[in-house]
Amino acid sequence: RPPALGAVAALDEGAPSRRREGLRAHRVDARGEGHAADRGDGAALPEEDGGGEDCQRLLAAAPGAEQWPLRLALRLIEESRAEASPFAEYVKSLEERHGSALLWSVNQAGELMYLPVFEQLKSELYDLRAFHQQHLEGRDFAGAPVDLKTFASFVAIAWAGGIEVEPGRRALLPLLGLVGPPEGPAAGEIVLGGRVPPPSCELGVEPGGATGGVAFLAAARDVAAGEALTRDVGLGPDELLLRHGLPTRNNAKDNVATITRVNKDDMLRWQLNAFKRTLGVKPAPATGDIVVRSYVRRGKKLKEAIDERLLFCTRVLSCEKEDEFAGGAAWLRGSDDAEVQGLGGLTPDLRRRCLTALKDAVGSTREAFQSTKEQDIEFITKLSGHRQVAAAFRLEKKRILDDVLVLLERISDREVERRAIKKQAAETGTSLPAA
């Protein structure tokens, strides 16, 4: 059986550290069969196709490209119940993904208080339950019934460990399936404010010609004996929560979605045309509302922290005349979109309006959360399970928004200082120092 937290380094305590050594190799079979031909350590687990007649019928009921976790889960269930399967013992030993968000209820998903992830998770939960109810409930599969919890657990395993062994084809590889993201072993420390450790391994693939390739793990740094082996699984913070049920902290990929909603009746004609042409949005027929989705993230400069779409909305709505939209001529009339220039080219008054609008947009996103940071911190220390994870997830989103607000305040303060210096220079007849 695999260790509770996945694979660990098996080094002698007194042995020197091993950097960049291959830890183990696994063949990736590319011939498109139900499973790899090898039956040793290099064998890939069942792919998302293959299987017996009953399994084939169920696989055909989930044909979409985005439904591969359902297909792979069905293959795993079948293999776990087949006595002659070379994969049965391994599949039975797979750690249950108790933390996976696929095992939450819709009400529990609502505790994230973050609409983009909630909507995605709710859709996945409904799809999973609809498939189970239509194709598995009250029926035997591979010799026994499959209840909803069992099905959801195997789908969670597929989501977390499925690796694309060739375009459009996923499977589980035994060793790689045990080596997950660094947030896994450190989850207890991360939710309490600890840092995310760097991955201990790197995943590589060596081409193998017509028979496939070899996927291997190499140490990315010094690995201590007994240390959990981890790798970068290439997921952003939102996907990390959805696929592994794990929160993270200070991730450079993390951002917070924002929504700009304005009614066409409140816009000038040139503003409406600018939104239609550059952003590709149109008013809703029923309400006349225009909705623009964008995001903010941590950054040292305005253009790093504010998405171009939000900057564009702010600039357009802050200007009463098209001529005031300095630097925006290419956006409105040019053949190609120009790079957003932050607040460059705007008058001081318009810059002040833009900064106020940006602070309002970020502040309203911050206020949409129904709990305070202080409450979240208390929840994290007193609760466990999905409620602790949800609190840690939304707390990190709030910290990002607070950091962006601090940046906007700092930029506003610089604007005030600059106006004061200009005023003083005008009164004394001196000029500003050259850059």
Side-chain angles (χ1 to χ4, degrees):
R1 297 181 64 84
L5 292 178
V8 298
L11 306 182
D12 294 333
E13 291 290 348
S17 63
R18 302 179 183 180
R19 292 182 63 89
R20 312 200 65 77
E21 286 189 22
L23 300 174
R24 210 169 186 181
H26 287 258
R27 177 167 298 282
V28 179
D29 194 290
R31 290 176 294 175
E33 298 179 0
H35 51 72
D38 296 333
R39 292 294 184 267
D41 288 339
L45 271 124
E47 301 181 19
E48 58 193 86
D49 55 6
E53 182 178 345
D54 196 22
C55 187
Q56 286 291 325
R57 176 183 60 81
L58 292 174
L59 294 177
E66 72 283 356
Q67 293 178 301
W68 69 263
L70 301 183
R71 296 193 295 271
L72 185 53
L74 291 169
R75 293 285 288 116
L76 292 174
I77 294 172
E78 182 185 46
E79 294 291 337
S80 70
R81 296 177 174 181
E83 294 182 1
S85 169
F87 306 117
E89 290 304 315
Y90 179 79
V91 174
K92 291 177 183 177
S93 74
L94 288 171
E95 177 189 0
E96 291 187 22
R97 305 281 176 176
H98 290 295
S100 173
L102 286 178
L103 301 180
W104 295 8
S105 67
V106 174
N107 288 338
Q108 290 170 339
E111 295 184 31
L112 295 170
M113 302 182 190
Y114 185 61
L115 190 60
V117 175
F118 169 73
E119 288 181 337
Q120 183 176 349
L121 179 54
K122 182 176 70 172
S123 175
E124 292 176 1
L125 290 173
Y126 283 159
D127 289 346
L128 187 152
R129 293 175 185 182
F131 185 92
H132 180 270
Q133 184 177 25
Q134 185 175 358
H135 300 287
L136 293 171
E137 190 173 51
R139 307 176 188 179
D140 284 358
F141 172 56
V146 180
D147 59 36
L148 179 59
K149 182 179 179 181
T150 299
F151 184 52
S153 296
F154 275 98
V155 174
I157 290 170
W159 260 127
I163 294 174
E164 194 169 31
V165 294
E166 62 179 42
R169 198 180 202 78
R170 292 173 176 82
L172 293 189
L173 299 177
L175 175 61
L176 302 187
L178 293 176
V179 182
E183 286 86 353
E189 292 78 14
I190 292 171
V191 295
L192 296 177
R195 68 179 184 87
V196 179
S200 58
C201 300
E202 295 175 346
L203 172 64
V205 178
E206 292 181 349
T211 61
V214 174
F216 64 90
L217 287 170
R221 56 177 173 79
D222 292 346
V223 183
E227 180 181 354
L229 300 183
T230 60
R231 62 185 176 91
D232 183 355
V233 294
L235 298 178
D238 294 353
E239 288 294 312
L240 190 66
L241 176 91
L242 290 167
R243 306 295 159 243
H244 294 266
L246 296 171
T248 188
R249 284 205 65 188
N250 297 324
N251 190 304
K253 299 178 181 179
D254 208 353
N255 60 52
V256 183
T258 63
I259 296 178
T260 301
R261 188 185 303 273
V262 58
N263 193 276
K264 66 176 183 178
D265 294 335
D266 298 326
M267 304 176 71
L268 300 172
R269 182 180 296 275
W270 74 267
Q271 293 174 329
L272 181 58
N273 291 335
F275 269 59
K276 288 180 178 179
R277 175 167 182 168
T278 303
L279 301 181
V281 294
K282 296 181 179 179
T287 64
D289 285 346
I290 292 179
V291 177
V292 179
R293 297 180 182 272
S294 52
Y295 64 85
V296 297
R297 58 160 51 117
R298 292 186 175 100
K300 295 181 180 179
K301 299 179 180 180
L302 190 68
K303 288 172 59 177
E304 296 174 356
I306 308 297
D307 177 45
E308 288 187 353
R309 292 171 68 86
L310 181 55
L311 273 175
F312 181 87
C313 292
T314 303
R315 288 182 67 116
V316 171
L317 296 176
S318 297
C319 297
E320 296 181 358
K321 298 179 180 179
E322 186 174 341
D323 291 342
E324 293 177 336
F325 189 60
W331 296 348
L332 298 176
R333 306 187 188 92
S335 57
D336 298 319
D337 288 346
E339 180 185 5
V340 174
Q341 298 299 320
L343 303 183
L346 297 177
T347 65
D349 285 343
L350 288 176
R351 290 171 66 89
R352 186 162 60 251
R353 278 192 222 169
C354 282
L355 288 169
T356 299
L358 287 172
K359 285 186 281 189
D360 289 343
V362 176
S364 62
T365 304
R366 178 72 169 77
E367 293 172 0
F369 290 95
Q370 300 169 7
S371 63
T372 66
K373 286 174 62 175
E374 292 72 23
Q375 288 174 328
D376 289 340
I377 293 172
E378 183 178 2
F379 292 152
I380 289 170
T381 56
K382 293 184 177 181
L383 301 177
S384 60
H386 82 275
R387 300 197 69 185
Q388 185 186 58
V389 172
F393 176 82
R394 63 180 184 255
L395 177 60
E396 182 64 9
K397 296 297 185 183
K398 295 172 189 175
R399 285 172 170 155
I400 293 173
L401 292 170
D402 287 346
D403 288 345
V404 174
L405 285 172
V406 169
L407 173 67
L408 293 174
E409 287 292 347
R410 188 163 61 244
I411 295 174
S412 296
D413 291 343
R414 287 204 296 265
E415 289 292 313
V416 173
E417 293 174 1
R418 185 170 181 83
R419 287 197 298 271
I421 293 174
K422 283 186 175 181
K423 182 179 179 180
Q424 182 180 11
E427 291 175 349
T428 59
T430 60
S431 59
L432 292 173

